[in-house]
């Protein structure tokens, strides 16, 4: 009879994962180097609005005040067309204990780059790829394919996190609205698209090729029959779609 491994199930998964891919306990410098190149800039600050302006990653390494950061590097201004889409983020869209979330992510075998406790109700997992995506349609296609695999392991991923402009939590700082420490858990290496694609296919899932976007022609005065309230609601939904939510 086989001996039962010592430790908790998430520890078994962590040991097995380490055999295939190197994984380290959290370190701020390694965290930044794993997600960004030295010549890349990204946004970070106390809130979403302070993540709009790019700053150097060397400054990010020593920053002790910021609570959130943009997971993708950008220049000039944080919007979809300015992003160099290198990373995608996953977090659980259900009320599940954070220790259970860690266990589920590790048991899935997902080859992630960083794992962070948000200081709230969720664990944030970021995958930094070795090559950037052509545009958001491709990063979304990969996000949804990976989310389908994670669902097989009981992880219902929050679809708001798919956005290229998504922000995440900075480890090592106290989250002001909860007074809890945002904690870095693991830092690993970047992922090649080929290796990730093999992991996706191994679970019987494929990546859907994005359909070309059809641009509708502009029609003058077409919105004259729409009320101001409806216009406000449309603008609000567009803002939410572009900037997403964070927990």
């Amino acid at each position: 009879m086989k001996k039962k491994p010592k430790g908790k199930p998430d520890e078994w998964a962590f040991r097995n994962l380490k055999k295939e891919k190197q994984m380290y306990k959290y370190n701020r410098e390694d965290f930044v180097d794993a997600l960004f190149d030295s010549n890349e800039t990204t946004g970070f600050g106390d809130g979403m609005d302070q993540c709009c302006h790019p700053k150097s990653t060397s400054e990010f390494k020593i920053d002790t005040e910021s609570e959130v950061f943009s997971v993708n590097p950008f220049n000039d201004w944080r919007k979809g067309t300015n992003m160099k889409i290198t990373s995608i983020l996953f977090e659980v869209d259900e009320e599940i204990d954070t220790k259970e979330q860690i266990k589920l992510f590790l048991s899935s075998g997902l080859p992630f780059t960083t794992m962070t406790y948000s200081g709230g109700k969720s664990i944030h997992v970021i995958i930094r790829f070795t090559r950037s995506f052509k545009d958001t349609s491709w990063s979304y296609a990969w996000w949804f394919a990976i989310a389908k695999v994670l669902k097989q392991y009981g992880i219902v991923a929050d679809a708001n996190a798919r956005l290229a402009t998504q922000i995440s939590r900075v480890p090592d700082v106290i989250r002001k609205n909860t007074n809890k420490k945002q904690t870095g858990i693991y830092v690993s290496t970047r992922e090649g698209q080929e290796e990730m694609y093999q992991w996706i296919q191994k679970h019987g899932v494929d990546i859907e090729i994005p359909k070309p976007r059809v641009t509708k022609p502009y029609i003058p005065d077409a919105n004259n029959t729409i009320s101001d309230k409806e216009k406000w609601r449309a603008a609000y939904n567009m803002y939410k779609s572009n900037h997403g939510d964070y927990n």
Side-chain angles (χ1 to χ4, degrees), residues 58-195:
S58 57
E59 188 180 344
F60 189 21
K61 288 181 182 180
I62 59 173
D63 176 83
T64 57
E65 301 295 328
S66 298
E67 287 190 35
V68 293
F69 73 99
S70 170
V71 302
N72 282 304
F74 63 94
N75 295 311
D76 187 41
W77 187 258
R78 187 173 63 91
K79 63 178 182 178
T81 53
N82 287 341
M83 311 302 290
K84 178 183 177 183
I85 310 171
T86 56
S87 297
I88 51 180
L89 179 143
F90 291 91
E91 60 176 293
V92 180
D93 191 23
E94 290 183 336
E95 291 286 343
I96 300 176
D97 179 74
T98 51
K99 288 183 180 177
E100 181 65 20
Q101 290 181 41
I102 294 171
K103 187 190 297 184
L104 290 173
F105 275 118
L106 292 177
S107 65
S108 74
L110 174 68
F112 60 82
T113 305
T114 65
M115 179 184 283
T116 305
Y117 167 56
S118 70
K121 63 179 182 179
S122 60
I123 299 297
H124 289 194
V125 167
I126 300 174
I127 305 167
R128 161 78 195 225
F129 289 92
T130 52
R131 297 197 310 273
S132 59
F133 291 100
K134 182 180 178 181
D135 55 37
T136 55
S137 65
W138 277 102
S139 66
Y140 293 172
W142 278 75
W143 190 96
F144 281 110
I146 294 170
K148 284 180 183 177
V149 176
L150 292 176
K151 197 170 183 180
Q152 297 176 16
Y153 292 90
I155 300 169
V156 179
D158 184 355
N160 285 313
R162 77 190 188 284
L163 300 176
T165 53
Q166 183 64 34
I167 63 175
S168 185
R169 289 283 166 181
V170 178
D172 277 350
V173 296
I174 301 297
R175 180 168 173 169
K176 292 181 180 68
N177 66 343
T178 64
N179 204 33
K180 292 182 179 178
K181 188 176 182 180
Q182 300 174 176
T183 309
I185 302 170
Y186 297 126
V187 177
S188 189
T189 54
R190 299 180 184 184
E191 288 304 320
Q193 271 87 344
E194 294 82 3
E195 291 77 16

